[in-house]
C-alpha cells in the first residue's frame, strides 16, 4: 500500500519514479499472490529479493540522489512514508532470510516429517528411469 500511495507524489518528482513505484506495487502484489498460492522456497527467495531491492533503492537515493530530480537529492525519500517503505523492505528481507535459513537447517538435519504440511513442502523425488 505504501508503493501505491506514493505513486502520485512520485510522478510529481519525476515520471520515472512514478513508473518505478507502479512496478514496485506490481511486484509486491505478485509476491502476496505467490505466498497465498504456495509456500515454497522460491516464493521466499522472491520476497528476499524484493525486500533487498526496496531497501537498496532507498539507500541509493540517499547517497547519490535521484537522477534528473533537481538539487535536493533527499526530497523524495526523506519523507516518513519512504522511510517506512525502506524499513518494511528490510523487515521483509530479514523475514525471508530467516525462513529460508530455517528450512535449509531442517532439510540439512533431516528432521522427521511430523505433519502433512511438512510433507507437502518436501520435494518429490523423481523416479529413476535409467532402465528405459
Amino acid at each position: 500500500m505504501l508503493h501505491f500511495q506514493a505513486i502520485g507524489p512520485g510522478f510529481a518528482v519525476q515520471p520515472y519514479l512514478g513508473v518505478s513505484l507502479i512496478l514496485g506495487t506490481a511486484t509486491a502484489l505478485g509476491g502476496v499472490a505467490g505466498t497465498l498460492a504456495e509456500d515454497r522456497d522460491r516464493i521466499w527467495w522472491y520476497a528476499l529479493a524484493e525486500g533487498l531491492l526496496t531497501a537498496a533503492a532507498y539507500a541509493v537515493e540517499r547517497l547519490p540522489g535521484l537522477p534528473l530530480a533537481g538539487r535536493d537529492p533527499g526530497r523524495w525519500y526523506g519523507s516518513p512514508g519512504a522511510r517506512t517503505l525502506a524499513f518494511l523492505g528490510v523487515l521483509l528481507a530479514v523475514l525471508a532470510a530467516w525462513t529460508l535459513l530455517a528450512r535449509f537447517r531442517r532439510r540439512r538435519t533431516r528432521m522427521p516429517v511430523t505433519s502433512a504440511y511438512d510433507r507437502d513442502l518436501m520435494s518429490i523425488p523423481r523416479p529413476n528411469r535409467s532402465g528405459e
Side-chain angles (χ1 to χ4, degrees):
M1 287 306 298
L2 285 172
H3 282 95
F4 184 73
Q5 291 175 344
I7 290 174
F11 274 110
V13 172
Q14 277 297 322
Y16 73 87
L17 183 58
V19 170
S20 69
L21 288 166
I22 290 172
L23 292 174
T25 303
T27 59
L29 290 175
V32 168
T35 304
L36 292 174
E38 64 179 50
D39 189 26
R40 304 274 179 168
D41 285 354
R42 62 182 164 199
I43 297 299
W44 289 104
W45 282 109
Y46 181 89
L48 178 65
E50 183 183 350
L52 289 175
L53 287 173
T54 300
Y58 180 82
V60 166
E61 192 282 331
R62 293 306 292 169
L63 297 174
L66 292 172
L68 308 172
R71 299 198 185 278
D72 187 8
R75 75 177 177 170
W76 168 249
Y77 279 101
S79 68
R83 280 186 247 134
T84 304
L85 186 60
F87 178 70
L88 291 176
V90 170
L91 284 181
L92 178 62
V94 168
L95 174 66
W98 181 29
T99 302
L100 288 168
L101 182 61
R103 288 181 177 194
F104 173 76
R105 284 184 178 171
R106 184 175 1 154
R107 281 192 297 265
R108 187 171 178 168
T109 59
R110 299 207 167 127
M111 294 180 67
V113 176
T114 58
S115 70
Y117 178 74
D118 288 340
R119 187 172 44 253
D120 287 342
L121 290 178
M122 293 177 60
S123 61
I124 300 170
R126 295 181 182 228
N128 186 4
R129 296 184 181 184
S130 60
E132 291 184 36

